Amino acid sequence: MSTDVMHIGPGNSVAELKESILGHFCFDVGKSPEYATLHDWYMAVAYSVRERMMEHWVSSLERIRDKHQKIVGYLSAEFLMGPHLGNAIINLGIEQQIKEAAEQLNINLDEILQQEEEPGLGNGGLGRLAACYLDSLTTLKVPAIGYGIRYEFGIFDQMIRDGWQVEITDKWLRNGNPWEIVKPELNYGVKLGGKTQGYTDEKGGYRVKWIPEYEIRGVAYDTPVPGYKNETINLLRLWKSEATESFDFQAFDKGDYYGAVHEKVFSETISKVLYPNDVSEAGKKLRLSQQYFFVSCSLQDALRILELRGLSLDDLPDAVTFQLNDTHPSIAIAELMRLLVDEYMVDWDKAWECTRKTFAYTNHTLLPEALEKWSLPLFAHILPRHLEIIYEINSRFLSDIRNKYPGDDDRIRRMSIIDEQGSKYVRMAHLATIGSHAVNGVSALHTELLKQDVLHDFYELQPDAFFNVTNGVTPRRWIKLYNPRLASLISDRIGERWITHLETDLINLQSFADDLSFQQAWRDVKKQNKTDLAHLLKQRFGMNINPDSLFDIQVKRIHEYKRQHLNALHIIHLYNRIKQKRTDGITPRTFIFGGKAAPAYYLAKLIIKLINAIGETIDNDPEVNQFIRVVFFPDFNVKNGAHVYKAADLSEQISTAGKEASGTGNMKFSMNGALTIGTYDGANIEIMECVGEDNFFLFGLDAAEVKAIKQNGYHPYDVYNNNNDLKEVIDLIQSGAFSKGDTNIFKPLINSLLGDDPYLVLQDYQAYVDCQQRVSAAYNNEQAWTKMSILNVARMGKFSSDRSIRDYCENIWHVTPG
Ligand code: 4GP
């Protein structure tokens, strides 16, 4: 069957592509090309490219049916895939042909690519990581399904008005989505609410059934994920919630028109919107329902695949491995237990063994506020049966702990899945850890801190279950697609294998680091990328920046721990020096920021306002803006990231040590030739180890010092008082110098810094300013800087997501890449 299908696959010649695009115009867009909009062309090109994936899709599905291959089920509430078209074109290896076909059709491929609305189904790091991992899984031919939610509205679009962030609903589906294929036949019922009831089964055993308050359905929407030039496709399978019955005729007959559609409205709410990661109490009920919804559909789907392969439940751990992308999907542990024990009547111990073997858990954050906890009443209200199951898991687990550590009640309290304090909570990280055979952090330091701190007791109990898998990013999207000039310069020298063998091949660039003509070509690429970004900012926002200045860039979510305000303080330090005519050693710089603040995170939004306020003041001050400029690039997302990473000279990775689990932006920058100014945090440490200390600007406290300083009592007001320069900088903000005389607006931020400064911004200030001075000096030596930039790229091979996926395969999933 699959070989027959191969024969009908469309060809990839320019003529065939052209014909296919025109065909889709007629048959799918339904217009004649004369009346086409750019978006119509985009749809036609997208359908043509998707068509070319379909033949591989069908043969790849065969692999999923192959009972000898283990499938990775990547469970993630977020997938930040980025635009599909450009990626599909390079992964299929048809960029030349498509370019030519577009030219012959008189359409501009770059403009077409710009038409794609990005599916923003994630908040930031963890969702983007999931997308890089799907790319690598497919490129390495590991059969995988990314399971998540098809949110109707993704992460909000950000606009900046009067310097403030304004959130706009992301209507990414409004013009249709040519990449997804709905599978109405793949739909599963998901129960919610209600109560449980005990009964006696035929064999006289005590069993429990769940009598839900209502039931909704999840329908599969599949998006093909192409591997790099390997004719392999994996699936991103997202669930959309629907009503079981969409129309209540009884209510309608009674004249209750609202009631007749009520169930439909309610059911569809579940997959309506992606939660920003600062959820309010009001949103929590829906958030837990979302998590349960997608996990339940995904597990039912996996059991269906098991059956399709002719395997039994005993085979589950060998047939599928589920990776929990943070705690969001961790309710899957209780759900698999429920399915096995209540629905398939499997004995508890056997079910537990199977569950633990099937799951593995990745932690992505140490921030206490981000570790999910659900209050017991809320949990019981939505998932009454799961709460009982969790109690049972907990009681068995704690009895083991009691046996192992007799009399250690404190340990019991610390390790319990139930947090007994206050209104009592279910600790999802504990459920995830106890129910998984492997737990991993995402950088060496982060894993160490997990072991020492957040999950210390669990580590002591089972040290062999803890692993580190340092994050990585895909070089296909982040170098080849988004930095084509650099990619072809690299390929010219070392061939093309680096695209799939980053770890072994990129290092070959090293031998060109001192080659002056190569250095010149390297600088030319950077200069062109910077000029492109300058044009784009001018065109879109009327901003004026100088491509000859040092591009100093910080793009990432806005958060106090990431310390965009430390960056801002340094800018004000320069401003102050310029105003005082102390301009010696100031290298012209453009400071570029981008990132979204969670809508309810007031201080983060105030930091955005501060950055814009500084930018505006400098724009209006020719004395200052001949040296420095500050711009805030609105709506930072994957699509905008495409223009940013490749144009950076300096990458800002300045989180408080111990707070950034890994970071992946740090990798994207460095791989594209930026040097890093960074703290000893997350993956920065490993990046520095790889690129060499001499090619990295390190500053500030390390994680142990941060801990010590906090334990010994930290007094930011003293730091401020004892450092004249810092005092002047803070006083300038307070004086209203950047807020047209308004001395109130930034008070909450200043009060936080002078009051308790939880992220040690003031403590690290001087070290940061000094380090920035070293950056300026280094930048003035063009050749030395270029050499450092080349060495950065050459030595970044480790940070390919292919390496990360190989680590998962070997240590956690026990899967052999194809
Ligand atoms: C992020 C971490 O903050 C970041 O350091 C890491 O690189 C990324 O996950 C991927 O591992 N965490 C989240 C989150 O996105 O929502 O906790």
Side-chain angles (χ1 to χ4, degrees):
M1 169 65 190
S2 55
T3 39
D4 291 342
V5 171
M6 297 294 279
H7 288 308
I8 60 160
N12 289 337
S13 71
V14 176
E16 284 162 322
L17 279 163
K18 228 172 87 181
E19 193 181 311
S20 162
I21 294 171
L22 289 171
H24 282 290
F25 236 109
C26 181
F27 301 122
D28 293 301
V29 180
K31 273 192 185 173
S32 126
E34 290 131 71
Y35 302 104
T37 62
L38 272 176
H39 190 266
D40 294 333
W41 279 115
Y42 159 72
M43 292 297 270
V45 174
Y47 282 125
S48 304
V49 170
R50 189 185 86 177
E51 191 170 84
R52 276 146 184 87
M53 293 197 268
M54 294 314 287
E55 55 171 321
H56 308 319
W57 171 313
V58 175
S59 53
S60 297
L61 281 182
E62 293 293 315
R63 291 184 320 125
I64 293 212
R65 286 200 200 103
D66 173 357
K67 67 176 173 191
H68 302 295
Q69 293 219 45
K70 200 176 197 177
I71 302 171
V72 175
Y74 200 83
L75 294 174
S76 180
E78 303 188 9
F79 284 94
L80 204 45
M81 298 298 283
H84 294 289
L85 179 57
N87 188 245
I89 290 173
I90 68 148
N91 277 16
L92 290 172
I94 55 172
E95 62 265 51
Q96 271 321 316
Q97 298 95 303
I98 279 276
K99 243 183 224 154
E100 256 182 74
E103 257 164 44
Q104 290 183 17
L105 289 167
N106 259 328
I107 50 176
N108 177 330
L109 189 59
D110 287 335
E111 278 176 14
I112 301 291
L113 290 170
Q114 276 311 313
Q115 293 301 307
E116 182 167 350
E117 191 82 55
E118 158 171 357
L121 309 186
N123 276 290
L126 148 176
R128 181 55 230 172
L129 187 79
C132 284
Y133 282 0
L134 288 185
D135 180 86
S136 286
L137 278 160
T138 319
T139 296
L140 291 170
K141 294 196 171 183
V142 177
I145 305 180
Y147 281 116
I149 302 178
R150 182 183 177 274
Y151 300 105
E152 187 178 335
F153 304 117
I155 180 82
F156 62 87
D157 293 335
Q158 179 195 55
M159 280 180 59
I160 301 296
R161 276 197 211 130
D162 188 27
W164 293 98
Q165 165 175 299
V166 176
E167 297 98 29
I168 313 283
T169 307
D170 163 56
K171 302 192 184 112
W172 72 288
L173 287 168
R174 88 193 118 182
N175 293 320
N177 173 8
W179 302 100
E180 65 184 8
I181 294 177
V182 53
K183 299 277 171 66
E185 74 283 12
L186 292 184
N187 69 87
Y188 301 100
V190 177
K191 302 172 195 164
L192 290 163
K195 57 181 185 186
T196 63
Q197 206 172 61
Y199 70 98
T200 310
D201 67 16
E202 305 99 71
K203 294 186 197 141
Y206 179 76
R207 302 239 160 233
V208 178
K209 70 175 166 218
W210 177 11
I211 304 161
E213 193 184 338
Y214 38 84
E215 186 169 331
I216 57 176
R217 295 204 87 69
V219 179
Y221 281 69
D222 286 352
T223 300
V225 178
Y228 185 72
K229 294 188 183 171
N230 68 356
E231 307 195 341
T232 304
I233 299 289
N234 272 321
L235 296 185
L236 172 63
R237 177 160 286 168
L238 302 179
W239 303 103
K240 176 177 189 271
S241 62
E242 289 189 355
T244 319
E245 284 292 340
S246 59
F247 194 77
D248 181 345
F249 274 101
Q250 277 173 3
F252 183 71
D253 283 346
K254 281 190 264 152
D256 179 5
Y257 303 112
Y258 174 74
V261 290
H262 172 73
E263 194 189 330
K264 177 172 160 60
V265 171
F266 168 77
S267 307
E268 290 178 1
T269 305
I270 301 278
S271 60
K272 196 63 120 193
V273 60
L274 166 81
Y275 268 92
N277 45 15
D278 66 337
V279 221
S280 64
E281 199 54 44
K284 287 206 160 160
K285 183 174 164 203
L286 194 50
R287 172 89 162 152
L288 179 59
S289 307
Q290 284 188 331
Q291 296 181 351
Y292 176 61
F293 161 73
F294 94 87
V295 148
S296 175
C297 292
S298 309
L299 292 186
Q300 293 183 63
D301 195 48
L303 294 180
R304 177 191 62 87
I305 294 172
L306 194 74
E307 205 179 307
L308 201 74
R309 289 172 151 197
L311 297 171
S312 77
L313 287 173
D314 290 341
D315 301 315
L316 184 65
D318 296 321
V320 185
T321 182
F322 281 116
Q323 191 64 35
L324 302 170
N325 198 25
D326 216 84
T327 51
H328 316 145
S330 54
I331 186 62
I333 288 165
E335 172 67 352
L336 185 58
M337 285 301 287
R338 187 191 69 79
L339 286 167
L340 295 177
V341 172
D342 291 359
E343 311 231 331
Y344 291 88
M345 309 296 171
V346 177
D347 148 87
W348 180 282
D349 288 329
K350 216 170 147 193
W352 184 239
E353 192 192 332
C354 173
T355 299
R356 288 202 69 230
K357 279 189 184 159
T358 307
F359 286 104
Y361 157 53
T362 305
N363 173 287
H364 291 272
T365 182
L366 299 166
L367 297 184
E369 65 271 26
L371 291 171
E372 283 189 307
K373 295 199 302 187
W374 302 110
S375 80
L376 290 192
L378 174 89
F379 205 101
H381 181 66
I382 301 170
L383 300 171
R385 178 57 184 142
H386 295 78
L387 189 58
E388 290 174 357
I389 289 172
I390 287 172
Y391 281 149
E392 183 66 27
I393 295 172
N394 201 35
S395 114
R396 287 168 185 244
F397 172 71
L398 293 181
S399 111
D400 288 351
I401 301 296
R402 265 188 208 100
N403 287 339
K404 203 163 170 180
Y405 304 95
D408 194 345
D409 289 346
D410 204 38
R411 186 181 295 263
I412 299 287
R413 190 185 47 70
R414 291 194 311 263
M415 294 184 86
S416 171
I417 302 177
I418 308 300
D419 178 349
E420 301 284 346
Q421 284 172 15
S423 72
K424 298 191 181 175
Y425 296 92
V426 185
R427 294 162 163 157
M428 299 310 272
H430 291 203
L431 176 64
T433 305
I434 294 166
S436 297
H437 67 277
V439 176
N440 77 285
V442 290
S443 72
L445 174 70
H446 171 60
T447 302
E448 232 8 81
L449 294 175
L450 271 182
K451 291 180 189 172
Q452 281 171 21
D453 202 358
V454 180
L455 297 177
H456 178 68
D457 294 319
F458 298 93
Y459 173 62
E460 239 176 33
L461 183 69
Q462 264 203 309
D464 295 348
F466 282 72
F467 297 87
N468 175 55
V469 182
T470 297
N471 285 343
V473 300
T474 168
R476 269 75 66 185
R477 185 180 286 271
W478 294 109
I479 308 179
K480 178 156 169 75
L481 177 62
Y482 287 159
N483 198 350
R485 294 186 184 106
L486 187 72
S488 61
L489 180 61
I490 295 174
S491 298
D492 274 356
R493 293 297 161 119
I494 64 167
E496 284 208 331
R497 244 180 59 117
W498 62 269
I499 298 166
T500 46
H501 294 75
L502 209 71
E503 247 190 306
T504 50
D505 285 28
L506 205 55
I507 195 72
N508 296 333
L509 268 184
Q510 246 186 175
S511 49
F512 302 99
D514 287 306
D515 173 336
L516 293 185
S517 72
F518 186 69
Q519 283 194 357
Q520 188 55 52
W522 193 265
R523 275 194 298 276
D524 289 347
V525 165
K526 186 61 81 182
K527 179 69 186 293
Q528 286 169 35
N529 291 342
K530 288 166 73 175
T531 307
D532 284 355
L533 178 60
H535 280 153
L536 186 130
L537 291 174
K538 174 82 189 163
Q539 217 178 31
R540 275 201 216 161
F541 310 107
M543 297 170 179
N544 288 308
I545 62 172
N546 170 13
D548 287 320
S549 62
L550 186 165
F551 278 17
D552 176 337
I553 309 190
Q554 187 169 18
V555 286
K556 48 179 78 245
R557 289 298 293 249
I558 311 290
H559 199 292
E560 288 163 275
Y561 88 77
K562 296 178 187 278
R563 301 200 295 192
Q564 281 89 355
H565 44 345
L566 176 59
N567 190 340
L569 294 187
H570 169 244
I571 299 171
I572 299 173
H573 155 90
L574 294 178
Y575 171 91
N576 198 25
R577 273 173 54 189
I578 298 166
K579 292 308 272 182
Q580 296 172 358
K581 319 243 182 285
R582 293 188 290 125
T583 54
D584 256 23
I586 296 187
T587 301
R589 286 202 203 205
T590 303
F591 295 90
I592 300 170
F593 291 84
K596 296 177 186 178
Y601 187 173
Y602 182 69
L603 278 186
K605 291 174 129 177
L606 195 56
I607 291 173
I608 295 181
K609 173 68 180 171
L610 176 64
I611 292 164
N612 282 306
I614 300 169
E616 195 188 330
T617 308
I618 293 176
D619 272 348
N620 294 324
D621 188 337
E623 187 188 356
V624 182
N625 68 34
Q626 58 179 313
F627 289 101
I628 57 173
R629 288 258 182 193
V630 180
V631 299
F632 192 95
F633 189 158
D635 202 32
F636 185 70
N637 55 15
V638 176
K639 214 169 153 183
N640 288 330
H643 308 285
V644 170
Y645 295 106
K646 66 177 180 184
D649 294 307
L650 187 66
S651 150
E652 296 273 352
Q653 308 300 334
I654 59 178
S655 50
T656 316
K659 298 291 178 198
E660 188 69 88
S662 158
T664 45
N666 46 5
M667 301 168 187
K668 292 167 199 161
F669 276 117
S670 186
M671 269 181 198
N672 283 283
L675 304 195
T676 305
I677 181 165
T679 44
Y680 211 69
D681 198 16
N684 292 353
I685 300 173
E686 288 157 81
I687 293 176
M688 187 176 73
E689 281 165 7
C690 288
V691 304
E693 281 176 35
D694 297 345
N695 304 307
F696 189 105
F697 298 96
L698 177 70
F699 75 96
L701 302 176
D702 66 21
E705 290 166 338
V706 166
K707 199 170 166 187
I709 224 170
K710 289 207 155 188
Q711 272 166 0
N712 300 335
Y714 171 52
H715 305 290
Y717 198 79
D718 294 346
V719 179
Y720 157 84
N721 254 335
N722 295 330
N723 181 335
N724 250 340
D725 174 50
L726 171 62
K727 195 162 183 308
E728 281 178 22
V729 165
I730 300 262
D731 292 351
L732 261 178
I733 305 177
Q734 246 166 348
S735 73
F738 306 105
S739 42
K740 306 185 176 93
D742 181 341
T743 54
N744 278 322
I745 182 167
F746 297 119
K747 256 203 180 126
L749 195 58
I750 303 287
N751 289 347
S752 158
L753 289 177
L754 297 181
D756 64 343
D757 188 17
Y759 299 100
L760 301 175
V761 173
L762 303 194
Q763 183 64 38
D764 270 343
Y765 170 82
Q766 197 56 52
Y768 179 59
V769 169
D770 294 345
C771 190
Q772 286 285 22
Q773 194 60 43
R774 283 190 275 132
V775 170
S776 293
Y779 190 71
N780 291 336
N781 183 343
E782 200 177 62
Q783 268 180 32
W785 183 277
T786 311
K787 180 176 175 180
M788 289 196 280
S789 167
I790 297 169
L791 290 178
N792 259 266
V793 175
R795 296 172 178 174
M796 281 298 287
K798 168 176 169 184
F799 301 95
S800 163
S801 43
D802 298 347
R803 190 268 313 142
S804 313
I805 288 299
R806 274 199 213 95
D807 286 354
Y808 277 105
C809 285
E810 195 178 318
N811 300 322
I812 296 180
W813 301 331
H814 308 295
V815 169
T816 316

